[in-house]
Amino acid sequence: MKTAKWFFCASLLTVASHLGAQTATIEAKVDALLEKMTVEEKLGQLTQFTAAPTDLKEQIAQGRVGSVFNFGGSVNTNELQRIAVEKSRLGIPLLFGHDVIHGYRTIFPNPLAIAATWDPGSAERSARIAAIEARAAGIRWTFAPMIDIARDPRWGRIAEGAGEDPFLGSAFARAYVRGFQGSDLSAGDSLMACAKHYVAYGASEAGRDYNTTDLSERTLREIYLPPFKAAVEANVGSMMTGFNALNGIPATANPWLVEGILRKEWGFDGFIVSDYQAVEQLIPHGVAATKEEAARKALSSGIDMNMVDGAYALLADDVRAGRFPVAVVDRAVRRVLRAKFQLGLFDVPYVEADGEDRLFLLPEHRAAAREVAEKSVVLLRNEGGLLPLSKEIATIALIGPFIEDGGEMLGSWHAAGRPEDVTTTIARAIRDEVSPETTVLLAQGTGLLEGPDSEIERAVATARLADVVVAFLGEGGKMSGEARSRVSLAMQGRQEELLKAVVATGKPVVLVVKSGRPLAIEWAAENVPAIVYGWFLGTEAGPALANVLFGDVNPSGKLPVTIPRSVGQIPIYYNHLRTGRPATENQYTSKYIDSPNEPLWPFGYGLSYTQFAYSDLAVSSPTIEPDGSITVSALLANRGDVQGEEVVQLYLADPVASVSRPVRELKGFKRVALAAGESRRVEFTITPDMLRFWNEGSWVVEPGQFLVWVGPDSQKGLEGTFELRGPAR
Ligand code: GLC
């Protein structure tokens, strides 16, 4: 045994020394290269373009471009790379970036849908496959994961992130970084990840994209920063700053955020890229008068690479004349060159020409996309057990603008995904699912935006012929994502009118919501017996939805965001602070006179085709010592007659503290599979650091009573209590 232990230690030391040597080698190579570079070549490494500039090839040959993005394909990237490596003076390879957000050619569900799996493994799997496919196309860097916490569904980019909660968002941030980067950045199937958009971009005022953000440091520290810290702890290779100004200072020129928090507090040593023209946008932000001043501010604030507007090149004379410190330039160039060495770009600058054919849309990639999609579906209503549907049904009517539209399955930011890759549309998938004797009727009913009365009338007539109607309605893929803010969260166009007309036939109706964001479907929530949130589920959306609707898969998704009753309730999120007058029957309490306070469906909510029951909460001790821990557990039983998976959630609350604390906060979750009739005790460990909060410039933990819940969502659960003891006096 001793020998084995010695061997193990020795091999650990070998690995560590190998890594150390590798790092030293890279640093030495960076130093050597930096020595040779002219000012223009240095600023060139900090300059990133799309393929748009007409003189791009000349600029590359002159060493004035470090990165090209949103330009994929092995032939394309190899052509530009050949110019950089073989024509430019120092032969520094280009870094090809791309928005590989939820798949490259095989498209996975939109990230908010993946968050609804509450399964970080699904995110990691999606990112791993995206990396394999994107690398085959010559991409080495993805501008993902997008980890902006979002509490406002008017903001279209809520579709791109992991929702409203920092604990869930942090778990997904780590998983995406692991999935994209793998264990070795230089491996042939790894992408360097880029956590974005640092920070609090999701708090854009009024849900209006690119708008200002203004929040307390406590909210910043407790809600918006944690996913970025998680990404740094997962060794994310780069970060992208947001378009937003935070408390009046644009993130693109904010030394406190970048040098202060990211570099000094968290020790982040990757490189930082601005968002698209965000350096030049410091002028309309009102913090720079000229493009050159904007460049000076951004580079000095720690933004290492300048996306698209070419502002950094304007600093050349000032750098040469000593009016801008060359040390600041060298610091940024060093970070970019280090990343290129870590990615193995100098050793392997080109990509095989046949990679795309070999690796795109592999059956195992499609299978993974379908499985993640199945886990993303959230069952919100199932009155009378209308779902799952029978495959022997005599006649089924499929209604809505999505039923035969492959492109509308992909959602925003779908990289190289193509509509024709969606070989099994929703209609085709359901035909394949039901028995040969079943009649499947189709009626679009209306377009995404509009449609004639005759179309609605035809859909109603079709519905009358069916035993059950499944309506696929919501908003089109182009309605969420960047620059897609809305003042309404209604279904698009005449879709709700169509739904009401179909429901009025009296036929049993299932609504499948197609949307990248929460929609305030209050009428449907009260009048449609079965509702499933179907997001944008990607290339395999059709089979995934069919498998859930007909019970081959028991839905297990849980909401990663609150679904509001109306846009008037926004911002509405579960971990809100207490008030001095919590809503009661008394008029003079915190509530509306024209709407309940409660959302349609809360954060963490999701049903199953089986029934899960929680009982017997056990708290291992009534007190936690300052350096101790306790466990909290509950018995989970599958009381139904089908297998199912439940996401058991742990919430904590601090009812009395030196500052008002949220009514509850997610601090743990576990996905538990149980056979029909099976029970299992699900246990969580609670430690004092889980009770901390930000106060007066630091994290504090205060002794006292705490509440704990173990349950199915953020509104319910078995409640317990414990006391955190103070330090011995
Ligand atoms: C966009 C987005 C950012 C994206 C970048 C490059 O404006 O804000 O998320 O990565 O530009 O496409």
Side-chain angles (χ1 to χ4, degrees):
M1 186 55 186
K2 260 197 180 309
T3 321
K5 204 183 288 183
W6 277 112
F7 178 75
F8 177 70
C9 294
S11 53
L12 267 188
L13 284 172
T14 312
V15 169
S17 62
H18 171 69
L19 287 176
Q22 200 181 31
T23 306
T25 310
I26 287 179
E27 291 313 307
K29 288 176 177 174
V30 168
D31 287 340
L33 202 41
L34 210 51
E35 279 291 305
K36 299 174 193 161
M37 296 171 80
T38 65
V39 170
E40 277 74 14
E41 286 165 338
K42 289 180 180 179
L43 294 173
Q45 284 306 304
L46 310 184
T47 297
Q48 176 185 60
F49 289 124
T50 64
T54 50
D55 65 346
L56 180 66
K57 292 179 179 175
E58 291 72 45
Q59 291 204 59
I60 293 172
Q62 292 158 11
R64 287 163 43 204
V65 185
S67 169
V68 177
F69 74 102
N70 287 359
F71 173 80
S74 54
V75 172
N76 296 333
T77 55
N78 281 341
E79 183 197 4
L80 292 189
Q81 194 66 294
R82 202 155 281 115
I83 297 171
V85 172
E86 298 168 19
K87 292 228 170 61
S88 76
R89 189 175 75 90
L90 294 171
I92 300 173
L94 293 168
L95 175 55
F96 290 101
H98 202 89
D99 289 289
V100 186
I101 311 295
H102 52 110
Y104 183 66
R105 180 66 189 271
T106 304
I107 302 303
F108 284 73
N110 65 291
L112 192 60
I114 295 181
T117 67
W118 285 55
D119 174 30
S122 290
E124 185 168 351
R125 195 176 182 203
S126 151
R128 190 91 291 276
I129 288 170
I132 291 166
E133 295 190 351
R135 272 301 296 272
I139 311 294
R140 313 295 280 263
W141 177 28
T142 177
F143 305 132
M146 188 277 212
I147 52 179
D148 301 309
I149 295 297
R151 294 169 150 177
D152 188 334
R154 293 173 297 182
W155 188 55
R157 304 199 77 166
I158 193 170
E160 298 174 44
E164 71 188 48
D165 180 77
F167 186 89
L168 188 67
S170 299
F172 276 82
R174 282 189 284 271
Y176 277 116
V177 171
R178 282 197 305 268
F180 285 126
Q181 298 191 161
S183 54
D184 170 7
L185 269 183
S186 65
D189 59 1
S190 293
L191 290 183
M192 183 171 69
C194 179
K196 72 182 187 183
H197 307 78
Y198 185 73
V199 66
Y201 176 32
S204 294
E205 213 157 79
R208 201 166 74 241
D209 208 352
Y210 316 119
N211 202 6
T212 196
T213 61
D214 206 283
L215 33 93
S216 71
E217 183 169 5
R218 178 175 303 118
T219 301
L220 183 69
R221 294 278 184 175
E222 293 181 2
I223 303 296
Y224 293 94
L225 281 171
F228 288 92
K229 188 157 192 301
V232 169
E233 288 162 353
N235 285 320
V236 68
S238 66
M239 282 225 186
M240 182 187 294
T241 42
F243 288 118
N244 57 303
L246 175 65
N247 301 341
I249 304 174
T252 308
N254 196 319
W256 175 65
L257 281 180
V258 176
E259 294 305 320
I261 295 179
L262 260 183
R263 302 282 185 200
K264 287 198 179 67
E265 277 188 43
W266 296 353
F268 175 62
D269 61 359
F271 76 89
I272 297 172
V273 64
S274 74
D275 203 338
Y276 199 102
Q277 294 175 327
V279 171
E280 188 171 16
Q281 286 161 12
L282 294 178
I283 300 171
H285 262 302
V287 296
T290 65
K291 195 169 176 178
E292 188 182 0
E293 184 185 354
R296 175 184 289 277
K297 277 206 160 195
L299 188 50
S300 307
S301 302
I303 309 302
D304 302 306
M305 187 180 280
N306 167 207
M307 184 185 281
V308 169
D309 57 45
Y312 282 10
L314 303 175
L315 293 175
D317 292 344
D318 282 357
V319 175
R320 231 189 312 282
R323 292 190 297 270
F324 186 90
V326 68
V328 172
V329 175
D330 288 354
R331 177 182 73 178
V333 176
R334 187 180 297 283
R335 289 174 183 142
V336 172
L337 292 178
R338 184 181 301 135
K340 291 185 174 182
F341 278 112
Q342 287 167 345
L343 282 161
L345 264 171
F346 286 87
D347 301 326
V348 186
Y350 305 112
V351 65
E352 301 79 32
D354 66 344
E356 289 111 321
D357 297 338
R358 279 186 301 109
L359 297 169
F360 279 5
L361 294 165
L362 288 175
E364 56 268 37
H365 293 181
R366 282 183 178 269
R370 193 196 68 252
E371 287 162 15
V372 172
E374 288 162 351
K375 279 187 175 180
S376 302
V377 175
V378 184
L379 177 62
L380 294 173
R381 209 168 184 237
N382 192 19
E383 297 301 307
L386 179 55
L387 289 172
L389 299 173
S390 160
K391 297 179 183 180
E392 313 308 321
I393 202 159
T395 304
I396 183 171
L398 308 182
I399 306 279
F402 299 93
I403 55 179
E404 294 189 288
D405 187 334
E408 277 303 330
M409 300 300 106
L410 302 181
S412 64
W413 295 110
H414 53 259
R418 299 175 187 172
E420 59 271 26
D421 297 339
V422 184
T423 46
T424 308
T425 61
I426 287 172
R428 162 57 54 208
I430 289 178
R431 270 189 216 283
D432 294 347
E433 192 76 21
V434 296
S435 79
E437 287 69 48
T438 299
T439 301
V440 179
L441 304 173
L442 307 181
Q444 178 170 291
T446 182
L448 279 176
L449 268 174
E450 62 201 0
D453 294 352
S454 58
E455 271 286 279
I456 292 181
E457 286 151 15
R458 194 172 77 79
V460 169
T462 304
R464 290 191 197 287
L465 301 173
D467 300 299
V468 73
V469 182
V470 186
F472 298 82
L473 302 166
E475 62 172 23
K478 293 184 177 64
M479 288 294 283
S480 57
E482 183 176 357
R484 296 293 187 277
S485 297
R486 295 182 67 192
V487 292
S488 157
L489 293 175
M491 294 182 191
Q492 235 185 316
R494 302 184 69 181
Q495 295 183 62
E496 180 158 295
E497 184 186 343
L498 167 64
L499 178 63
K500 288 180 177 175
V502 166
V503 168
T505 64
K507 295 288 183 179
V509 176
V510 176
L511 170 62
V512 178
V513 183
K514 301 297 297 158
S515 174
R517 70 168 109 211
L519 294 180
I521 50 173
E522 187 169 21
W523 185 87
E526 285 152 11
N527 295 281
V528 180
I531 300 176
V532 158
Y533 226 82
W535 313 103
F536 291 114
L537 294 176
T539 308
E540 292 297 314
L545 281 168
N547 286 341
V548 169
L549 290 171
F550 289 88
D552 294 338
V553 169
N554 184 355
S556 57
K558 297 277 189 177
L559 292 176
V561 280
T562 301
I563 296 189
R565 186 175 298 277
S566 77
V567 79
Q569 291 180 305
I570 293 169
I572 179 170
Y573 46 90
Y574 86 95
N575 52 352
H576 59 80
L577 293 183
R578 303 161 190 282
T579 81
R581 293 194 176 193
T584 63
E585 291 67 42
N586 180 322
Q587 180 182 347
Y588 298 94
T589 58
S590 181
K591 60 185 184 181
Y592 302 98
I593 58 172
D594 59 354
S595 165
N597 283 7
E598 292 68 33
L600 284 182
W601 295 286
F603 173 81
Y605 183 88
L607 301 175
S608 170
Y609 291 152
T610 192
Q611 291 72 45
F612 288 107
Y614 289 76
S615 61
D616 189 13
L617 184 84
V619 183
S620 62
S621 160
T623 59
I624 305 184
E625 295 308 319
D627 57 355
S629 67
I630 59 170
T631 62
V632 173
S633 67
L635 194 62
L636 179 69
N638 177 346
R639 294 271 169 79
D641 50 15
V642 290
Q643 187 273 357
E645 291 195 33
E646 170 74 341
V647 179
V648 179
Q649 299 159 46
L650 171 77
Y651 293 91
L652 297 176
D654 187 348
V656 180
S658 51
V659 296
S660 176
R661 300 297 303 142
V663 292
R664 61 168 85 181
E665 297 176 276
L666 179 72
K667 295 294 180 184
F669 59 90
K670 290 184 177 177
R671 200 173 234 280
V672 181
L674 292 181
E678 185 185 2
S679 296
R680 190 176 310 156
R681 180 161 289 278
V682 183
E683 184 174 281
F684 298 92
T685 298
I686 295 177
T687 51
D689 65 293
M690 292 162 68
L691 311 174
R692 72 180 195 169
F693 61 90
W694 184 265
N695 199 22
E696 292 172 355
S698 67
W699 291 104
V700 297
V701 176
E702 291 181 352
Q705 282 305 111
F706 287 82
L707 301 175
V708 54
W709 294 268
V710 175
D713 62 51
S714 60
Q715 303 299 310
K716 296 191 283 293
L718 301 175
E719 180 176 325
T721 180
F722 61 86
E723 181 196 355
L724 173 67
R725 302 286 286 271
R729 294 199 184 291

